[in-house]
Amino acid sequence: EEDAREKYYFYFSPSKTKPVGSDALINIDLTNLAVQSRQVFAENTKLPDETSITVHKIWQKADNQETERVDGQIELTLKQIATKADGTSQEKDYTTAIVTFADNWTKTFEKLPVQGQDAAGAPVTYTYYVVEKAVSGYSTMYGDATSSSTLSETPKDFATQSGGIKVINKANKKY
């Protein structure tokens, strides 16, 4: 289903050269801001009051091959970061969850606030990330659920307001 909202395309070229690949955009109104200014009223869309974040656990062997694990459990702590308009932020443990094979190693944290106020009444926006309690014999990596390329040992690198986070446990090599 295509997004029905009106879209605007701008570029800046003093030499009046269209951007590479723009010829493929048929029936699109491109505005060169070097030649003409254009004012468009675009009404802000209110942020939703709540969001959800899904965490999916992936088990790997020491050779990076995915494997199935049917026993045990993991403990996830959802961290909330409250950020003010000036960029300063505070974080806290928001909730914890136990995840098992019966859950398909997946947990969805629902009804998470998107915005609110800090203790002094200043408006804040919230982002979230998860930290997994260490699993003996495994190293832990975190990533965006939609990307397979970027991983980090630092869970905060994948703080998000909505969507998915993956937690990968790779078995340590045994010598």
Side-chain angles (χ1 to χ4, degrees):
E1 183 178 309
E2 189 166 327
D3 188 350
R5 293 179 290 186
E6 192 169 353
K7 297 179 177 115
Y8 303 94
Y9 298 89
F10 303 97
Y11 68 101
F12 186 86
S13 175
S15 64
K16 300 181 183 173
T17 306
K18 283 190 174 182
V20 174
S22 64
D23 292 335
L25 299 172
I26 301 170
N27 297 325
I28 300 293
D29 182 23
L30 290 171
T31 301
N32 183 351
L33 295 176
V35 177
Q36 154 189 12
S37 66
R38 181 173 178 186
Q39 293 182 353
V40 175
F41 174 74
E43 188 173 336
N44 287 336
T45 305
K46 184 181 183 301
L47 287 174
D49 293 331
E50 297 178 337
T51 190
S52 64
I53 294 176
T54 299
V55 181
H56 183 68
K57 173 68 161 183
I58 299 170
W59 295 97
Q60 290 183 343
K61 298 177 186 176
D63 64 0
N64 293 333
Q65 298 300 309
E66 276 193 42
T67 187
E68 194 64 45
R69 184 163 169 183
V70 296
D71 62 330
Q73 64 183 27
I74 60 169
E75 181 179 321
L76 299 173
T77 300
L78 184 69
K79 304 274 193 172
Q80 180 190 64
I81 305 170
T83 305
K84 294 182 194 179
D86 66 4
T88 59
S89 63
Q90 287 187 311
E91 62 181 78
K92 69 175 186 177
D93 290 358
Y94 189 75
T95 189
T96 60
I98 300 296
V99 182
T100 67
F101 175 76
D103 304 313
N104 196 28
W105 299 108
T106 301
K107 170 65 179 167
T108 300
F109 295 96
E110 298 181 298
K111 298 188 178 193
L112 303 172
V114 174
Q115 52 196 348
Q117 294 181 339
D118 68 5
V124 294
T125 57
Y126 297 117
T127 53
Y128 300 87
Y129 67 96
V130 294
V131 176
E132 178 189 59
K133 184 175 180 183
V135 177
S136 179
Y138 290 85
S139 60
T140 304
M141 301 289 283
Y142 299 87
D144 182 324
T146 61
S147 171
S148 61
S149 59
T150 306
L151 297 173
S152 173
E153 292 178 357
T154 307
K156 195 173 183 177
D157 289 348
F158 295 96
T160 184
Q161 198 165 54
S162 64
I165 300 170
K166 62 184 168 189
V167 179
I168 300 173
N169 278 126
K170 180 179 170 183
N172 297 330
K173 285 189 177 184
K174 296 179 183 175
Y175 297 96

